[in-house]
């Protein structure tokens, strides 16, 4: 970038962003960033997107980073209220390891007056949710700060970063000074230590009688190599929730999400007797481990880009810190060179998984109802979508239905909130993904409660021609929690929703509205929904879902959590539930 003549701080922000892999920004203009928005409005490369709420801006930017490989999601927001509104999205990116670049305005620094509007210390506020924050005070600091923030956001374990530019620096002209080039991060070469660790991993895995693979989001960019390793070892593969698209569900060795008793039968049984586990890009967090209820063998090989997670929840015999894009191809080469003959094991494991998957499907297909059978819906949706289509999921019972019943096809095609577990993710994430990947079909799956949080953001979809289809699983409850209340409480306190007229929300936001009352209506509704969405108009599909059958995840987690209580408390909880069934509350 040529420093050239003096320029305003806002112009320097625009020029810096134009040097980065940025196609759009998300946010709301305000007193402290209108100059930046005026500059972005003149950019031929970057489109500023107006949202209805900054939480949605963060979720949209997060979705861009997850689905548009190489592009980073960017928020441009006002200080204080803009940041606090966005905290749920920033937190989701932080715990999910998703790069996010936040550009925020700041109060004037050229006045002696205090108590300006939005006057808070944003850096203290964001200290626990970002990798680093910057506050510039001079023009020559702007471009280097934005470049440094970008490099940090996408390096190591990715995450959010924030740069604050005071409004007075945005408005006035100043010298930019010598502006550095923004060199993209490059993948490091293997170190001698990593080479030795990989050799140890190969020795352990080759000697295993029944190895398994557990893959998370950190493996999403090495799917082909992970498949080759699984085939080489003849090993069943389980994914995390966030890593659903890190291994194709149609592969014969794919078992499911997790491998505890909160997993589907195929995964629980396939991993019941493993004597070695290769874990790639996962922290063994609460959800995929079924509330830490899984059995992890002593012979654990754990690879992750974040050294702090290695052996943190389960001790690792071989722990390797590094980027999966470097480590996994090297591990594949070593394993293939080892001359493993795992054909018989691979065939036996695949047959066992296929049998258990068929049996589990039969359970769901046997449900008779005048509402929508979840499996029949997901089967029809899979047929209607190409393998490149993107599915965004919200947080709730529908999350685990999707994880158990929807066949995920390719990498970065399913995204959802995980460890931060924020409701409201689905709709804005779908919009962000569609804007970033307009050539792909994008659908969202949300519960009715989650949809109420950000459903009005469909106004943004309509304004920018983002033809997303949002399937709202409508049962009138916050069902994931309501189901969890049934055993210990036999009551549903604050989990039954009031009347929700989804047709009215669709009309108010400019979206089309369709309803699926029962299984017979699924096919025609999907055809119509995609026909409308292909014109650039968002669609709300009211799915009258049958939630009577509990997911394995819900059943397994409840058992695991209750099992950890002392016997006396377990008996008390059970007795209370039984008593309330006998004596109905008035």
């Amino acid at each position: 970038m040529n420093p050239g003549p003096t320029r305003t701080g806002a112009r320097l922000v625009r020029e810096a962003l134009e040097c980065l892999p940025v196609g759009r920004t998300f946010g709301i203009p305000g007193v402290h960033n209108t100059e930046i928005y005026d500059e972005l409005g003149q950019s031929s490369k970057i489109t500023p997107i107006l949202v209805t709420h900054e939480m949605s801006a963060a979720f949209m930017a997060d979705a861009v980073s997850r689905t548009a490989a190489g592009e980073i999601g960017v928020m441009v927001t006002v200080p204080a209220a803009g940041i606090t509104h966005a905290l749920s999205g920033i937190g989701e990116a932080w715990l999910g390891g998703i790069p996010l670049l936040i550009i925020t305005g700041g109060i004037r620094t050229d006045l002696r007056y205090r108590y300006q509007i939005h006057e808070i210390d944003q850096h203290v506020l964001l200290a626990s949710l970002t990798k680093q924050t910057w506050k510039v005070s001079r023009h020559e600091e702007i471009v280097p700060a934005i470049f440094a923030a970008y490099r940090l956001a996408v390096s190591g374990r990715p995450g959010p970063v924030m740069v604050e530019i005071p409004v007075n620096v945005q408005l006035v002209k100043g010298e930019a000074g010598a502006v550095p080039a923004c060199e993209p991060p490059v993948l490091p070469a293997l170190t001698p230590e990593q080479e030795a660790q990989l050799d140890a991993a190969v020795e352990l895995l080759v000697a295993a009688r029944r190895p398994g693979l557990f893959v998370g989001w950190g493996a999403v960019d090495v799917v082909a190599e992970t498949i080759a390793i699984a085939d080489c070892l003849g090993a069943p593969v389980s994914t995390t929730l966030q890593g659903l698209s890190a291994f194709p569900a149609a592969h014969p060795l794919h078992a499911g999400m997790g491998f505890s008793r909160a997993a589907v039968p195929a995964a629980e049984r396939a991993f019941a007797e493993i004597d070695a586990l290769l874990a790639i890009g996962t922290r063994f967090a609460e959800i995929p481990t079924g509330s830490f209820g899984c059995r992890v063998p002593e012979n654990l090989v754990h690879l992750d880009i974040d050294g702090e997670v290695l052996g943190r929840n389960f001790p690792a015999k071989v722990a390797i810190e590094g980027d999966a894009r470097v480590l996994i191809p090297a591990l594949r080469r070593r394993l293939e060179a080892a001359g493993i003959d795992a054909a018989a094991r691979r065939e036996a494991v695949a047959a066992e998984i296929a049998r258990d998957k068929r049996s589990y499907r039969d359970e769901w297909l046997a449900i008779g109802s005048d509402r929508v059978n979840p499996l029949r819906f997901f089967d029809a949706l899979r047929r209607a979508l190409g393998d490149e289509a993107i599915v965004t999921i919200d947080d709730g019972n529908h999350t685990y239905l999707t994880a158990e019943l929807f066949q995920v096809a390719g990498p970065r095609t399913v995204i959802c909130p995980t460890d931060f577990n924020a409701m409201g993710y689905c709709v804005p994430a779908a919009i962000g993904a569609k804007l970033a990947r307009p050539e792909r079909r994008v659908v969202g799956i949300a519960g009715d409660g989650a949809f109420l949080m950000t459903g009005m953001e469909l106004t943004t979809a309509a304004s920018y021609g983002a033809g997303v289809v949002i399937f709202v699983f409508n049962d009138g409850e916050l069902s994931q929690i309501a189901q969890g209340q049934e055993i210990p409480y036999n009551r549903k306190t604050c989990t039954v929703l009031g009347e929700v007229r989804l047709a009215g929300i669709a009309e108010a936001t400019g979206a089309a509205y369709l309803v699926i009352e029962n299984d017979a209506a699924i096919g025609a509704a999907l055809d119509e929904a995609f026909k409308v969405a292909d014109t650039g108009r968002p669609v709300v599909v009211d799915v009258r879902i049958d939630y009577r059958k509990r997911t394995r995840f819900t059943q397994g987690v409840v058992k695991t959590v209750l099992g950890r209580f002392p016997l006396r408390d377990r008996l008390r909880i059970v007795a209370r539930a039984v008593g309330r069934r006998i004596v109905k509350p008035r």
Side-chain angles (χ1 to χ4, degrees):
M1 182 189 296
N2 188 339
T6 60
R7 298 190 293 289
T8 66
R11 177 63 178 268
L12 291 168
V13 171
R14 167 188 155 188
E15 292 180 358
L17 291 178
E18 288 176 337
C19 291
L20 301 177
V22 175
R24 57 207 51 78
T25 65
F26 302 93
I28 300 176
V31 172
H32 295 89
N33 65 9
T34 51
E35 193 74 8
I36 294 176
Y37 269 93
D38 186 68
E39 287 290 343
L40 291 173
Q42 301 174 63
S43 176
S44 60
K45 180 189 175 187
I46 299 172
T47 302
I49 304 295
L50 171 64
V51 302
T52 65
H53 195 289
E54 284 93 349
M55 179 172 74
S56 295
F59 287 150
M60 290 181 191
D62 169 291
V64 169
S65 291
R66 295 194 199 215
T67 60
E71 183 175 343
I72 186 171
V74 180
M75 288 179 57
V76 177
T77 185
V78 294
I83 291 294
T84 57
H85 285 169
L87 281 178
S88 288
I90 297 170
E92 195 66 61
W94 169 248
L95 288 186
I98 305 300
L100 191 67
L101 176 57
I102 306 159
I103 305 293
T104 178
I107 65 170
R108 297 190 64 152
T109 57
D110 59 342
L111 300 177
R112 69 175 183 84
Y113 299 107
R114 294 294 308 276
Y115 316 121
Q116 299 178 47
I117 59 171
H118 295 325
E119 185 177 341
I120 64 167
D121 190 333
Q122 304 185 107
H123 305 270
V124 171
L125 184 66
L126 288 174
S128 64
L129 294 178
T130 56
K131 296 183 74 173
Q132 189 175 329
T133 63
W134 287 256
K135 181 176 181 179
V136 304
S137 58
R138 301 186 303 275
H139 287 71
E140 61 266 31
E141 297 173 346
I142 294 175
V143 177
I146 291 175
F147 285 179
Y150 164 73
R151 284 193 297 270
L152 183 62
V154 299
S155 300
R157 183 178 189 273
V161 293
M162 185 269 275
V163 180
E164 176 183 337
I165 300 100
V167 65
N168 51 293
V169 179
Q170 297 175 38
L171 289 163
V172 302
K173 288 187 173 183
E175 295 285 349
V179 177
C182 186
E183 299 293 338
V186 296
L187 291 177
L190 285 172
T191 66
E193 181 183 14
Q194 289 173 327
E195 298 266 12
Q197 291 168 333
L198 287 171
D199 290 339
V202 169
E203 183 178 351
L204 186 152
L205 293 169
V206 168
R209 178 183 55 82
R210 179 145 180 166
L213 269 67
F214 184 41
V215 298
W217 180 260
V220 75
D221 292 322
V222 289
V223 173
E225 290 81 2
T226 304
I227 291 172
I229 289 172
D231 285 335
C232 180
L233 293 172
V237 181
S238 165
T239 76
T240 65
L241 178 62
Q242 187 178 356
L244 283 173
S245 62
F247 199 87
H251 191 280
L253 293 173
H254 173 272
M257 190 271 285
F259 54 93
S260 68
R261 62 178 170 181
V264 294
E268 183 182 14
R269 292 173 188 166
F271 281 77
E273 297 181 5
I274 60 169
D275 58 348
L277 181 65
L278 171 61
I280 309 169
T282 171
R283 301 189 297 176
F284 287 93
E286 183 171 3
I287 290 176
T289 60
S291 193
F292 312 108
C294 60
R295 183 192 70 83
V296 177
E298 178 183 353
N299 290 329
L300 170 63
V301 178
H302 193 177
L303 291 76
D304 200 276
I305 200 167
D306 183 358
E308 291 188 6
V309 312
L310 297 174
R312 179 63 181 83
N313 283 342
F314 299 95
K317 185 159 285 187
V318 180
I320 312 176
E321 179 180 355
D323 194 313
R325 293 172 294 177
V326 176
L327 296 176
I328 297 307
L331 180 60
R332 172 190 179 177
R333 290 191 295 269
R334 282 167 166 77
L335 285 170
E336 290 178 339
I340 306 169
D341 183 7
R345 180 165 63 203
R346 181 170 58 247
E347 184 178 343
V349 170
E352 178 185 74
I353 289 172
R355 182 175 61 251
D356 287 337
K357 282 189 173 183
R358 283 194 301 270
S359 178
Y360 193 55
R361 285 179 54 83
D362 289 343
E363 288 183 24
W364 283 92
L365 293 174
I367 301 172
S369 173
D370 57 356
R371 293 176 69 87
V372 177
N373 181 295
L375 178 56
R376 296 186 191 280
F377 169 81
F378 283 117
D379 280 354
L381 181 62
R382 178 71 279 168
R383 290 192 297 269
L385 294 176
D387 288 351
E388 297 296 308
I390 295 170
V391 179
T392 70
I393 319 172
D394 219 294
D395 175 45
N397 194 36
H398 62 279
T399 311
Y400 305 105
L401 280 176
T402 308
E404 293 184 7
L405 303 179
F406 181 68
Q407 192 172 76
V408 181
R412 296 181 179 269
T413 57
V414 171
I415 59 175
C416 60
T418 49
D419 291 349
F420 201 81
N421 227 213
M423 291 174 66
Y425 180 86
C426 168
V427 173
I431 297 168
K434 184 63 175 178
L435 292 173
R437 306 301 302 264
E439 77 284 3
R440 296 192 184 188
R441 278 186 169 168
V442 178
V443 304
I445 300 171
D448 41 9
F451 178 76
L452 290 176
M453 287 194 168
T454 51
M456 295 304 292
E457 202 64 59
L458 286 171
T459 301
T460 303
S463 297
Y464 291 94
V468 297
V469 180
I470 306 299
F471 297 98
V472 182
F473 282 13
N474 186 355
D475 75 322
E477 296 182 353
L478 302 175
S479 61
Q480 184 66 19
I481 303 304
Q483 290 180 7
Q485 289 174 324
E486 287 178 354
I487 293 177
Y489 305 116
N490 196 31
R491 293 176 182 173
K492 296 178 180 180
T493 303
C494 287
T495 53
V496 178
L497 302 173
E499 182 182 4
V500 180
R501 300 180 182 179
L502 297 178
I505 296 175
E507 181 179 1
T509 58
Y513 172 79
L514 298 168
V515 61
I516 302 178
E517 294 274 6
N518 50 45
D519 294 346
I522 295 174
L526 291 181
D527 290 344
E528 180 64 18
F530 290 125
K531 180 180 177 181
V532 173
D534 287 345
T535 70
R537 186 183 183 192
V539 183
V540 174
V541 182
D542 184 346
V543 183
R544 306 294 170 81
I545 199 74
D546 185 347
Y547 269 153
R548 287 178 302 162
K549 180 174 172 58
R550 305 297 184 251
T551 62
R552 286 276 298 192
F553 180 83
T554 298
Q555 296 177 66
V557 166
V558 168
K559 291 176 182 177
T560 297
V561 171
L562 286 177
R564 289 200 180 102
F565 283 101
L567 178 60
R568 179 182 60 186
D569 291 300
R570 272 184 281 161
L571 292 174
R572 175 182 58 81
I573 291 170
V574 171
R576 179 178 64 184
V578 171
R580 288 180 177 178
R581 288 183 184 276
I582 297 172
V583 182
K584 298 287 186 182
R586 293 182 179 179

